[in-house]
Amino acid sequence: MDDATSLRRAMVDQQIIARGVSDPRVIHAMLTVPREAFVPEGWQAHAYNDGPLPIGADQTISQPYIVGLMIEAAAMQPGDRVLEIGAGSGYAAAVMSRIAGEVWAIERIPKLADRARRVLADLGCDNVMILDADGTAGLPERAPFQAIIVSAAAPTLPPALLEQLAPGGRLVAPLGGRFQQQLTVYSRTEDGSISAEDLGGVAFVPLISGQV
Ligand code: SAH
């Protein structure tokens, strides 16, 4: 095993499985995506740290555990079409691409979107589409989605996103204040009704309306 492979195994054992993420698809995906490819030059040695890391433009790649928790909560299945708002480095999109059928990920900062596209192409994640846009409107032309992940914090959920959730689908979003939010999971039943569950406190960078 090379260094990155054993660091990745340790990350999955100690940060993901030990904290209760148990979906075998999520565990397998996180074991196969090289997180070091998504962190900026000079940060590779920290890629498997138990926390977020800077990726430039005042943004961060989320903590591995939070990525695993969100993707498990979204309960995506092989073949699903999924949407991410806030692609950032592209790491979470890469993990989802190993589980779902197609991943549409929206990013408002073009230089982050460009880098994410390059890294994903190098890794052969050809079922991920990174789009340059303000994601608060979602992606109505590709809706509905079986799973939606919002990777940036908002006081309340932009209404367009829930409208784009398929029956049986789940939407995961950090909702609350500037520095602390509750990770909230919305489920749409087959008959269309919505329920919400709180997965606990998190801290995300803000969801910002408007394109750069
Ligand atoms: N999932 C990412 C982490 C993203 S950090 C990863 O794995 O690396 C949150 C990202 O959301 C930032 O890159 C930020 O630019 C982006 N963002 C914030 N508001 C947005 C909006 N309205 N539309 C699209 N992206 C947005």
Side-chain angles (χ1 to χ4, degrees):
M1 272 201 293
D2 63 21
D3 279 0
T5 306
S6 56
L7 286 170
R8 191 152 59 243
R9 179 78 246 182
M11 173 198 85
V12 169
D13 286 342
Q14 294 159 21
Q15 302 175 34
I16 308 300
I17 297 172
R19 292 188 189 141
V21 172
S22 61
D23 181 335
R25 292 194 186 105
V26 177
I27 292 167
H28 181 257
M30 293 188 82
L31 279 173
T32 62
V33 174
R35 187 168 160 94
E36 69 276 14
F38 294 88
V39 304
E41 269 323 294
W43 285 89
Q44 272 75 15
H46 304 278
Y48 293 95
N49 285 11
D50 187 11
L53 291 174
I55 54 172
D58 289 331
Q59 305 303 324
T60 53
I61 175 173
S62 305
Q63 181 186 12
Y65 170 61
I66 297 297
V67 173
L69 180 67
M70 291 178 89
I71 295 176
E72 180 175 64
M76 58 196 67
Q77 307 291 321
D80 280 357
R81 183 189 307 146
V82 310
L83 175 67
E84 182 184 30
I85 312 303
S89 69
Y91 174 71
V95 174
M96 293 190 281
S97 80
R98 301 273 157 104
I99 303 171
E102 47 187 88
V103 180
W104 297 83
I106 306 181
E107 173 53 54
R108 68 182 284 276
I109 300 179
K111 79 171 189 195
L112 294 180
D114 285 343
R115 182 165 192 278
R117 267 191 288 266
R118 255 198 327 275
V119 174
L120 290 159
D122 286 348
L123 293 175
C125 295
D126 53 10
N127 59 339
V128 183
M129 282 58 65
I130 305 276
L131 308 177
D132 293 278
D134 172 2
T136 51
L139 191 60
E141 60 272 35
R142 300 283 171 184
F145 298 93
Q146 282 77 40
I148 300 178
I149 297 269
V150 185
S151 294
T156 56
L157 189 68
L161 299 181
L162 212 45
E163 286 163 17
Q164 294 170 30
L165 188 63
R170 295 205 193 186
L171 181 155
V172 185
L175 300 177
R178 168 69 184 85
F179 298 107
Q180 151 90 31
Q181 308 89 35
Q182 298 305 119
L183 193 58
T184 310
V185 186
Y186 291 91
S187 307
R188 185 189 289 284
T189 59
E190 295 295 341
D191 68 16
S193 66
I194 302 278
S195 62
E197 185 192 346
D198 182 350
L199 287 189
V202 288
F204 275 78
V205 296
L207 184 72
I208 299 170
S209 294
Q211 244 187 301
V212 174

